Amino acid sequence: MDQPTFQSIEKAAERISNYTNKTPALSSSSINNMVGGELFFKCENFQKVGAFKFRGGCNAVFSLSDEQAAKGVATHSSGNHAQAIALAAKLRDIPAYIVMPENAPKVKVAAVEEYGAEITFSDSNQKSREETLRRVTEKTGAHFIHPYDNNDVIAGQGTAAMELISQVSDLDIIITPVGGGGLLSGTAIATKHLKPKIQVIGAEPELADDAYRSFKKGERIPLESTTTIADGLRTSLSDRTFSIIHSLVDDIVTVPEESIIRDMRRVWERMKIIIEPSCAVPVSAVFDKKIDVAGKKVGIIITGGNVDLSNLPW
Amino acid sequence: MDQPTFQSIEKAAERISNYTNKTPALSSSSINNMVGGELFFKCENFQKVGAFKFRGGCNAVFSLSDEQAAKGVATHSSGNHAQAIALAAKLRDIPAYIVMPENAPKVKVAAVEEYGAEITFSDSNQKSREETLRRVTEKTGAHFIHPYDNNDVIAGQGTAAMELISQVSDLDIIITPVGGGGLLSGTAIATKHLKPKIQVIGAEPELADDAYRSFKKGERIPLESTTTIADGLRTSLSDRTFSIIHSLVDDIVTVPEESIIRDMRRVWERMKIIIEPSCAVPVSAVFDKKIDVAGKKVGIIITGGNVDLSNLPW
């Protein structure tokens, strides 16, 4: 299967530069004192739509030829990828068709509507979502953009690590959360090209540990279902992302739910930034000593900040 | 009464530079679209102790001669000034004695203890706080640092606006909240020296509008008591801060409680940063059109991010 190259990440960075925010890499001396290393939080919660997903979605939408783009773009997602595609389509002035489960949080539906996308509701199971999407694309002729099993999406996600490496010199480790594996794949391709000595590590909830088990066994073992609070990480690797991760990533570690909630709150309290549960997963990998950061410089990609403020886990 | 000069702010900036964070000035395109102007949020919620108060406290502690500092420093505060003095004293390696009301939030007591300060509890009324402080300073010989009626504190607070002006060119307006007036005083002195054409405006809760009424009447009218949610703004101007504000500030506006809560949440949701209720007051002044920002570049000093996450106002 063809995979994104570093050159495709470089091109993505150029393609999306007018539409994306250059996000800061923030540090907290109190957190650094607690863990004994220097952590740099690449704040993609400050990215457009509040999540790194806009990098990949934007690159995918703007990579289409005019002919491919003419009838719009479509995807199924209840989360940040939906908003990313909706905003990118709006910026390119083409229609966006989003399939969302009928039980999707109202705030997320409202955000997608705000960007002018057309929403079709499905049942919440994967089969219904895929069938509904097929009906939508057959009817509209829209181009499907998968949330992570897509080279342009992966290349776009890789621009976050590329930017981080230009902002913080001499990093020893970069950690990202793993769900479908798009971010970790793009991060690994960018990092191993630019600074092969930087360790690239994925962090995953114990309750959604398909990437961990696949990585250790050397073959893809998809997840049946999961209830992890890290709602951005409930998906499983695809063949494409597994293959990239298996060949380029140094390690994958897992953390329990209670650590995720604890460290989500800890980052809110200490750093005064709003992060989603998914973002706390790499932070917990550090606090739970699943990764040794003593005396090291560590980049963590903070993936997003879209949280229902009326329904916090504490 | 002698007042801080711009030179004292310049000296403060130099004195505290090794201890403070240079905080970013963040923007949100979605908020800018909503208000029709360009807002720059000077993020003092990312400052040490989570609030701009560290600038003034740090400057005051490090301005003392060795002789003055030998027996430590003292203050009464239930909030960010207490943490600021505690951390600054720790950095200078001198004792800190903090008088806190017995009903102070546990998180704030814990934060002050974490910095190694000695806490003495008083009743929650002003008289008991002042009497307790007097007993503490008589017993210890510690040097009292007032939260805002102190030239070194005011000079320290002025460094935030000085930094903001160096970060964002061509500002038309700078807005700060007003409580005791230390931040607004320092901001006005710095701004009117560096860029006299920038308008300096204070924003205050309607429920704690002593600065508004004093400014309009031309004489100081202290507040009896208030229940505003903006707990950092419940204090009244001193003669010193009133005099500075009266001579240098362009306007003071007020906003209702419901706007403060609405815009606190709006900033959390749109910008993914945690701000205290007090910080939302200038933001509400913009959203409620108390200040005309159409087509203008506007700096807002985000004063702090210390919030009890288990007790949010929505």
Side-chain angles (χ1 to χ4, degrees):
Chain A
M1 190 180 315
D2 67 317
Q3 294 177 352
T5 58
F6 177 71
Q7 288 66 37
S8 68
I9 296 176
E10 273 186 313
K11 275 189 201 150
E14 206 183 310
R15 190 176 288 122
I16 68 178
S17 65
N18 285 338
Y19 307 109
T20 46
N21 294 332
K22 180 165 179 181
T23 57
L26 299 180
S27 279
S28 156
S29 49
S30 75
I31 287 182
N32 288 349
N33 286 339
M34 291 161 96
V35 302
E38 268 186 281
L39 307 189
F40 297 88
F41 291 74
K42 175 69 172 161
C43 286
E44 290 293 303
N45 49 343
F46 298 164
Q47 189 50 268
K48 292 280 163 68
V49 316
F52 80 96
K53 290 269 184 183
F54 184 64
R55 294 177 180 269
C58 185
N59 187 50
V61 166
F62 281 90
S63 293
L64 298 177
S65 68
D66 286 345
E67 202 187 335
Q68 287 172 312
K71 291 178 175 166
V73 287
T75 198
H76 57 77
S77 162
S78 58
N80 295 330
H81 179 65
Q83 293 185 53
I85 294 300
L87 175 57
K90 184 183 176 189
L91 291 168
R92 191 163 173 176
D93 202 17
I94 58 174
Y97 305 94
I98 312 289
V99 173
M100 300 184 88
E102 58 195 359
N103 61 355
K106 275 183 196 163
V107 280
K108 301 214 167 181
V109 176
V112 169
E113 278 173 343
E114 195 178 318
Y115 296 124
E118 189 177 316
I119 297 173
T120 307
F121 290 100
S122 71
D123 289 346
S124 68
N125 64 70
Q126 189 67 12
K127 197 174 157 222
S128 168
R129 289 166 71 159
E130 286 173 5
E131 273 174 12
T132 308
L133 178 76
R134 196 173 322 118
R135 278 208 320 279
V136 167
T137 53
E138 276 169 12
K139 185 177 150 205
T140 60
H143 188 93
F144 171 45
I145 298 178
H146 192 281
Y148 52 89
D149 192 33
N150 175 305
N151 281 348
D152 296 320
V153 169
I154 294 171
Q157 318 304 30
T159 62
M162 193 178 145
E163 212 172 88
L164 172 62
I165 288 169
S166 77
Q167 290 169 303
V168 183
S169 57
D170 302 321
L171 283 171
D172 298 294
I173 303 172
I174 294 180
I175 318 173
T176 82
V178 202
L183 176 64
L184 183 56
S185 294
T187 300
I189 295 167
T191 305
K192 293 302 180 181
H193 178 92
L194 289 166
K195 301 273 178 183
K197 286 189 180 163
I198 297 178
Q199 278 200 295
V200 176
I201 302 177
E204 207 176 26
E206 279 176 5
L207 289 189
D209 66 346
D210 74 288
Y212 172 79
R213 286 183 295 119
S214 303
F215 184 81
K216 296 297 179 190
K217 191 156 185 203
E219 68 183 57
R220 192 167 79 92
I221 308 169
L223 208 61
E224 292 294 316
S225 76
T226 171
T227 57
T228 176
I229 189 176
D231 55 340
L233 309 180
R234 289 179 188 152
T235 44
S236 294
L237 301 184
S238 66
D239 283 334
R240 185 191 315 263
T241 55
F242 171 69
S243 158
I244 298 169
I245 289 167
H246 188 245
S247 68
L248 293 179
V249 166
D250 295 286
D251 201 4
I252 294 182
V253 299
T254 63
V255 296
E257 296 292 296
E258 54 272 27
S259 299
I260 299 171
I261 296 170
R262 177 198 66 203
D263 292 325
M264 176 179 166
R265 181 167 183 157
R266 190 177 262 166
V267 169
W268 286 41
E269 286 179 341
R270 297 278 167 168
M271 299 191 67
K272 315 301 180 191
I273 60 174
I274 291 178
I275 66 168
E276 299 174 358
S278 303
C279 312
V281 172
V283 182
S284 292
V286 173
F287 273 106
D288 285 358
K289 299 188 189 303
K290 302 293 176 79
I291 301 172
D292 177 18
V293 301
K296 291 183 179 158
K297 288 177 82 169
V298 181
I300 293 180
I301 310 228
I302 293 297
T303 46
N306 293 326
V307 177
D308 181 354
L309 294 176
S310 299
N311 188 18
L312 296 173
W314 49 75
Chain B
M1 194 181 313
D2 66 319
Q3 293 177 352
T5 58
F6 175 72
Q7 288 66 37
S8 68
I9 297 176
E10 272 186 313
K11 274 188 202 150
E14 205 184 308
R15 190 177 287 124
I16 69 179
S17 64
N18 285 338
Y19 308 109
T20 46
N21 294 332
K22 181 168 178 180
T23 57
L26 299 180
S27 279
S28 156
S29 49
S30 75
I31 287 181
N32 288 349
N33 287 338
M34 292 162 96
V35 302
E38 268 186 280
L39 307 189
F40 297 88
F41 290 74
K42 176 67 173 163
C43 285
E44 291 293 304
N45 49 342
F46 298 164
Q47 189 51 266
K48 292 280 164 67
V49 317
F52 79 95
K53 291 270 184 182
F54 184 64
R55 294 177 181 267
C58 185
N59 187 51
V61 166
F62 281 90
S63 292
L64 299 176
S65 67
D66 285 345
E67 202 187 335
Q68 287 172 313
K71 291 178 175 166
V73 287
T75 199
H76 57 78
S77 161
S78 59
N80 295 329
H81 179 66
Q83 293 185 53
I85 294 298
L87 174 57
K90 185 183 176 189
L91 290 167
R92 190 161 175 176
D93 202 16
I94 58 175
Y97 305 95
I98 312 288
V99 174
M100 301 185 88
E102 59 195 358
N103 62 355
K106 275 183 197 164
V107 280
K108 302 213 167 182
V109 176
V112 169
E113 278 173 343
E114 196 178 317
Y115 295 124
E118 189 178 316
I119 298 172
T120 308
F121 290 101
S122 70
D123 289 345
S124 68
N125 63 70
Q126 189 66 13
K127 195 173 158 222
S128 167
R129 290 166 71 161
E130 287 174 6
E131 272 175 13
T132 308
L133 178 76
R134 195 171 325 118
R135 278 208 320 278
V136 167
T137 53
E138 276 170 11
K139 184 178 150 204
T140 60
H143 188 92
F144 170 45
I145 298 178
H146 191 280
Y148 52 90
D149 191 34
N150 175 306
N151 281 348
D152 296 319
V153 169
I154 293 171
Q157 318 304 31
T159 62
M162 191 177 146
E163 213 172 88
L164 173 62
I165 288 168
S166 77
Q167 289 169 303
V168 184
S169 57
D170 302 321
L171 284 170
D172 299 296
I173 303 172
I174 294 179
I175 318 173
T176 82
V178 203
L183 176 65
L184 182 56
S185 295
T187 299
I189 294 167
T191 304
K192 293 301 180 182
H193 177 92
L194 288 166
K195 301 273 180 185
K197 285 188 182 164
I198 297 178
Q199 279 200 294
V200 176
I201 301 178
E204 206 175 26
E206 280 177 5
L207 288 189
D209 65 347
D210 73 289
Y212 172 78
R213 287 184 294 119
S214 304
F215 184 81
K216 295 298 180 188
K217 193 158 184 201
E219 67 183 60
R220 191 167 80 90
I221 308 170
L223 207 63
E224 291 294 316
S225 76
T226 172
T227 57
T228 176
I229 189 177
D231 55 339
L233 310 181
R234 288 180 188 152
T235 44
S236 296
L237 302 183
S238 66
D239 283 333
R240 185 190 316 262
T241 55
F242 171 69
S243 158
I244 298 168
I245 289 168
H246 187 245
S247 67
L248 292 179
V249 166
D250 294 286
D251 202 5
I252 293 183
V253 299
T254 63
V255 296
E257 296 292 296
E258 54 272 26
S259 299
I260 299 171
I261 296 169
R262 176 198 68 204
D263 293 324
M264 175 178 167
R265 182 165 182 159
R266 190 177 262 164
V267 168
W268 285 42
E269 286 180 342
R270 299 277 166 169
M271 300 192 64
K272 316 301 180 191
I273 60 175
I274 291 178
I275 66 168
E276 301 174 357
S278 304
C279 312
V281 172
V283 182
S284 292
V286 172
F287 273 106
D288 286 356
K289 300 188 189 304
K290 301 294 176 79
I291 301 171
D292 177 17
V293 302
K296 292 182 178 157
K297 290 178 81 169
V298 181
I300 293 180
I301 309 228
I302 293 296
T303 46
N306 292 327
V307 177
D308 180 354
L309 293 176
S310 298
N311 187 19
L312 297 173
W314 48 74

